[in-house]
mmCIF file with all atom_site columns, all heavy atoms in Angstrom:
data_model
loop_
_atom_site.group_PDB
_atom_site.id
_atom_site.type_symbol
_atom_site.label_atom_id
_atom_site.label_alt_id
_atom_site.label_comp_id
_atom_site.label_asym_id
_atom_site.label_entity_id
_atom_site.label_seq_id
_atom_site.pdbx_PDB_ins_code
_atom_site.Cartn_x
_atom_site.Cartn_y
_atom_site.Cartn_z
_atom_site.occupancy
_atom_site.B_iso_or_equiv
_atom_site.pdbx_formal_charge
_atom_site.auth_seq_id
_atom_site.auth_comp_id
_atom_site.auth_asym_id
_atom_site.auth_atom_id
_atom_site.pdbx_PDB_model_num
ATOM 1  N N   . THR F 1 147 ? 2.637   22.476 2.413  1.00 96.00 ? 416 THR F N   1
ATOM 2  C CA  . THR F 1 147 ? 1.483   23.301 2.816  1.00 96.00 ? 416 THR F CA  1
ATOM 3  C C   . THR F 1 147 ? 1.676   23.797 4.258  1.00 96.00 ? 416 THR F C   1
ATOM 4  O O   . THR F 1 147 ? 2.102   22.990 5.092  1.00 96.00 ? 416 THR F O   1
ATOM 5  C CB  . THR F 1 147 ? 0.178   22.471 2.744  1.00 96.00 ? 416 THR F CB  1
ATOM 6  O OG1 . THR F 1 147 ? 0.060   21.920 1.418  1.00 96.00 ? 416 THR F OG1 1
ATOM 7  C CG2 . THR F 1 147 ? -1.027  23.286 3.003  1.00 96.00 ? 416 THR F CG2 1
ATOM 8  N N   . ASP F 1 148 ? 1.460   25.084 4.503  1.00 96.00 ? 417 ASP F N   1
ATOM 9  C CA  . ASP F 1 148 ? 1.603   25.577 5.836  1.00 96.00 ? 417 ASP F CA  1
ATOM 10 C C   . ASP F 1 148 ? 0.361   25.278 6.659  1.00 96.00 ? 417 ASP F C   1
ATOM 11 O O   . ASP F 1 148 ? -0.632  24.820 6.146  1.00 96.00 ? 417 ASP F O   1
ATOM 12 C CB  . ASP F 1 148 ? 1.965   27.068 5.882  1.00 96.00 ? 417 ASP F CB  1
ATOM 13 C CG  . ASP F 1 148 ? 0.888   27.974 5.313  1.00 96.00 ? 417 ASP F CG  1
ATOM 14 O OD1 . ASP F 1 148 ? -0.313  27.578 5.437  1.00 96.00 ? 417 ASP F OD1 1
ATOM 15 O OD2 . ASP F 1 148 ? 1.239   29.000 4.794  1.00 96.00 ? 417 ASP F OD2 1
ATOM 16 N N   . ALA F 1 149 ? 0.505   25.424 7.961  1.00 96.00 ? 418 ALA F N   1
ATOM 17 C CA  . ALA F 1 149 ? -0.572  25.047 8.901  1.00 96.00 ? 418 ALA F CA  1
ATOM 18 C C   . ALA F 1 149 ? -1.869  25.761 8.626  1.00 96.00 ? 418 ALA F C   1
ATOM 19 O O   . ALA F 1 149 ? -2.966  25.143 8.616  1.00 96.00 ? 418 ALA F O   1
ATOM 20 C CB  . ALA F 1 149 ? -0.113  25.371 10.329 1.00 96.00 ? 418 ALA F CB  1
ATOM 21 N N   . ALA F 1 150 ? -1.815  27.047 8.262  1.00 96.00 ? 419 ALA F N   1
ATOM 22 C CA  . ALA F 1 150 ? -3.031  27.836 8.025  1.00 96.00 ? 419 ALA F CA  1
ATOM 23 C C   . ALA F 1 150 ? -3.786  27.315 6.791  1.00 96.00 ? 419 ALA F C   1
ATOM 24 O O   . ALA F 1 150 ? -5.022  27.093 6.813  1.00 96.00 ? 419 ALA F O   1
ATOM 25 C CB  . ALA F 1 150 ? -2.730  29.283 7.855  1.00 96.00 ? 419 ALA F CB  1
ATOM 26 N N   . ALA F 1 151 ? -3.049  27.051 5.739  1.00 95.00 ? 420 ALA F N   1
ATOM 27 C CA  . ALA F 1 151 ? -3.668  26.536 4.524  1.00 95.00 ? 420 ALA F CA  1
ATOM 28 C C   . ALA F 1 151 ? -4.212  25.131 4.695  1.00 95.00 ? 420 ALA F C   1
ATOM 29 O O   . ALA F 1 151 ? -5.249  24.787 4.183  1.00 95.00 ? 420 ALA F O   1
ATOM 30 C CB  . ALA F 1 151 ? -2.657  26.559 3.344  1.00 95.00 ? 420 ALA F CB  1
ATOM 31 N N   . PHE F 1 152 ? -3.444  24.357 5.493  1.00 96.00 ? 421 PHE F N   1
ATOM 32 C CA  . PHE F 1 152 ? -3.913  23.032 5.832  1.00 96.00 ? 421 PHE F CA  1
ATOM 33 C C   . PHE F 1 152 ? -5.279  23.058 6.573  1.00 96.00 ? 421 PHE F C   1
ATOM 34 O O   . PHE F 1 152 ? -6.228  22.368 6.177  1.00 96.00 ? 421 PHE F O   1
ATOM 35 C CB  . PHE F 1 152 ? -2.866  22.344 6.618  1.00 96.00 ? 421 PHE F CB  1
ATOM 36 C CG  . PHE F 1 152 ? -3.145  20.910 7.019  1.00 96.00 ? 421 PHE F CG  1
ATOM 37 C CD1 . PHE F 1 152 ? -2.774  19.835 6.230  1.00 96.00 ? 421 PHE F CD1 1
ATOM 38 C CD2 . PHE F 1 152 ? -3.810  20.618 8.232  1.00 96.00 ? 421 PHE F CD2 1
ATOM 39 C CE1 . PHE F 1 152 ? -3.097  18.498 6.588  1.00 96.00 ? 421 PHE F CE1 1
ATOM 40 C CE2 . PHE F 1 152 ? -4.111  19.326 8.586  1.00 96.00 ? 421 PHE F CE2 1
ATOM 41 C CZ  . PHE F 1 152 ? -3.727  18.285 7.780  1.00 96.00 ? 421 PHE F CZ  1
ATOM 42 N N   . ALA F 1 153 ? -5.373  23.814 7.589  1.00 96.00 ? 422 ALA F N   1
ATOM 43 C CA  . ALA F 1 153 ? -6.518  23.925 8.405  1.00 96.00 ? 422 ALA F CA  1
ATOM 44 C C   . ALA F 1 153 ? -7.705  24.357 7.596  1.00 96.00 ? 422 ALA F C   1
ATOM 45 O O   . ALA F 1 153 ? -8.785  23.851 7.778  1.00 96.00 ? 422 ALA F O   1
ATOM 46 C CB  . ALA F 1 153 ? -6.232  24.850 9.616  1.00 96.00 ? 422 ALA F CB  1
ATOM 47 N N   . ALA F 1 154 ? -7.444  25.292 6.699  1.00 95.00 ? 423 ALA F N   1
ATOM 48 C CA  . ALA F 1 154 ? -8.562  25.826 5.911  1.00 95.00 ? 423 ALA F CA  1
ATOM 49 C C   . ALA F 1 154 ? -9.264  24.796 5.029  1.00 95.00 ? 423 ALA F C   1
ATOM 50 O O   . ALA F 1 154 ? -10.437 24.896 4.662  1.00 95.00 ? 423 ALA F O   1
ATOM 51 C CB  . ALA F 1 154 ? -8.017  26.960 4.994  1.00 95.00 ? 423 ALA F CB  1
ATOM 52 N N   . ARG F 1 155 ? -8.488  23.703 4.667  1.00 95.00 ? 424 ARG F N   1
ATOM 53 C CA  . ARG F 1 155 ? -9.107  22.672 3.825  1.00 95.00 ? 424 ARG F CA  1
ATOM 54 C C   . ARG F 1 155 ? -10.014 21.704 4.673  1.00 95.00 ? 424 ARG F C   1
ATOM 55 O O   . ARG F 1 155 ? -10.760 20.914 4.004  1.00 95.00 ? 424 ARG F O   1
ATOM 56 C CB  . ARG F 1 155 ? -8.014  21.873 3.135  1.00 95.00 ? 424 ARG F CB  1
ATOM 57 C CG  . ARG F 1 155 ? -7.129  22.766 2.310  1.00 95.00 ? 424 ARG F CG  1
ATOM 58 C CD  . ARG F 1 155 ? -6.189  22.038 1.347  1.00 95.00 ? 424 ARG F CD  1
ATOM 59 N NE  . ARG F 1 155 ? -6.920  21.374 0.271  1.00 95.00 ? 424 ARG F NE  1
ATOM 60 C CZ  . ARG F 1 155 ? -7.409  21.966 -0.863 1.00 95.00 ? 424 ARG F CZ  1
ATOM 61 N NH1 . ARG F 1 155 ? -7.239  23.322 -0.946 1.00 95.00 ? 424 ARG F NH1 1
ATOM 62 N NH2 . ARG F 1 155 ? -7.981  21.337 -1.771 1.00 95.00 ? 424 ARG F NH2 1
ATOM 63 N N   . PHE F 1 156 ? -9.939  21.808 5.953  1.00 95.00 ? 425 PHE F N   1
ATOM 64 C CA  . PHE F 1 156 ? -10.823 20.941 6.789  1.00 95.00 ? 425 PHE F CA  1
ATOM 65 C C   . PHE F 1 156 ? -11.935 21.732 7.506  1.00 95.00 ? 425 PHE F C   1
ATOM 66 O O   . PHE F 1 156 ? -13.033 21.198 7.778  1.00 95.00 ? 425 PHE F O   1
ATOM 67 C CB  . PHE F 1 156 ? -9.956  20.302 7.879  1.00 95.00 ? 425 PHE F CB  1
ATOM 68 C CG  . PHE F 1 156 ? -8.948  19.242 7.357  1.00 95.00 ? 425 PHE F CG  1
ATOM 69 C CD1 . PHE F 1 156 ? -7.730  19.641 6.809  1.00 95.00 ? 425 PHE F CD1 1
ATOM 70 C CD2 . PHE F 1 156 ? -9.324  17.923 7.407  1.00 95.00 ? 425 PHE F CD2 1
ATOM 71 C CE1 . PHE F 1 156 ? -6.860  18.734 6.347  1.00 95.00 ? 425 PHE F CE1 1
ATOM 72 C CE2 . PHE F 1 156 ? -8.459  16.983 6.921  1.00 95.00 ? 425 PHE F CE2 1
ATOM 73 C CZ  . PHE F 1 156 ? -7.197  17.374 6.389  1.00 95.00 ? 425 PHE F CZ  1
ATOM 74 N N   . ARG F 1 157 ? -11.643 23.005 7.758  1.00 93.00 ? 426 ARG F N   1
ATOM 75 C CA  . ARG F 1 157 ? -12.550 23.871 8.524  1.00 93.00 ? 426 ARG F CA  1
ATOM 76 C C   . ARG F 1 157 ? -13.969 23.867 8.093  1.00 93.00 ? 426 ARG F C   1
ATOM 77 O O   . ARG F 1 157 ? -14.241 24.070 6.891  1.00 93.00 ? 426 ARG F O   1
ATOM 78 C CB  . ARG F 1 157 ? -11.972 25.242 8.613  1.00 93.00 ? 426 ARG F CB  1
ATOM 79 C CG  . ARG F 1 157 ? -12.662 26.184 9.581  1.00 93.00 ? 426 ARG F CG  1
ATOM 80 C CD  . ARG F 1 157 ? -12.116 27.582 9.515  1.00 93.00 ? 426 ARG F CD  1
ATOM 81 N NE  . ARG F 1 157 ? -10.642 27.606 9.828  1.00 93.00 ? 426 ARG F NE  1
ATOM 82 C CZ  . ARG F 1 157 ? -9.717  28.205 9.100  1.00 93.00 ? 426 ARG F CZ  1
ATOM 83 N NH1 . ARG F 1 157 ? -10.037 28.843 7.964  1.00 93.00 ? 426 ARG F NH1 1
ATOM 84 N NH2 . ARG F 1 157 ? -8.463  28.184 9.458  1.00 93.00 ? 426 ARG F NH2 1
ATOM 85 N N   . GLY F 1 158 ? -14.866 23.571 9.033  1.00 91.00 ? 427 GLY F N   1
ATOM 86 C CA  . GLY F 1 158 ? -16.309 23.659 8.729  1.00 91.00 ? 427 GLY F CA  1
ATOM 87 C C   . GLY F 1 158 ? -16.932 22.498 8.027  1.00 91.00 ? 427 GLY F C   1
ATOM 88 O O   . GLY F 1 158 ? -18.159 22.497 7.718  1.00 91.00 ? 427 GLY F O   1
ATOM 89 N N   . ARG F 1 159 ? -16.139 21.521 7.674  1.00 92.00 ? 428 ARG F N   1
ATOM 90 C CA  . ARG F 1 159 ? -16.688 20.434 6.841  1.00 92.00 ? 428 ARG F CA  1
ATOM 91 C C   . ARG F 1 159 ? -17.360 19.375 7.695  1.00 92.00 ? 428 ARG F C   1
ATOM 92 O O   . ARG F 1 159 ? -16.978 19.128 8.792  1.00 92.00 ? 428 ARG F O   1
ATOM 93 C CB  . ARG F 1 159 ? -15.611 19.820 5.984  1.00 92.00 ? 428 ARG F CB  1
ATOM 94 C CG  . ARG F 1 159 ? -15.012 20.858 5.004  1.00 92.00 ? 428 ARG F CG  1
ATOM 95 C CD  . ARG F 1 159 ? -14.300 20.354 3.845  1.00 92.00 ? 428 ARG F CD  1
ATOM 96 N NE  . ARG F 1 159 ? -15.017 19.295 3.153  1.00 92.00 ? 428 ARG F NE  1
ATOM 97 C CZ  . ARG F 1 159 ? -14.472 18.670 2.017  1.00 92.00 ? 428 ARG F CZ  1
ATOM 98 N NH1 . ARG F 1 159 ? -13.363 19.069 1.577  1.00 92.00 ? 428 ARG F NH1 1
ATOM 99 N NH2 . ARG F 1 159 ? -15.177 17.687 1.468  1.00 92.00 ? 428 ARG F NH2 1
#
Side-chain angles (χ1 to χ4, degrees):
Chain F
T416 304
D417 65 30
F421 180 90
R424 302 193 69 80
F425 291 82
R426 187 181 301 131
R428 299 200 46 179

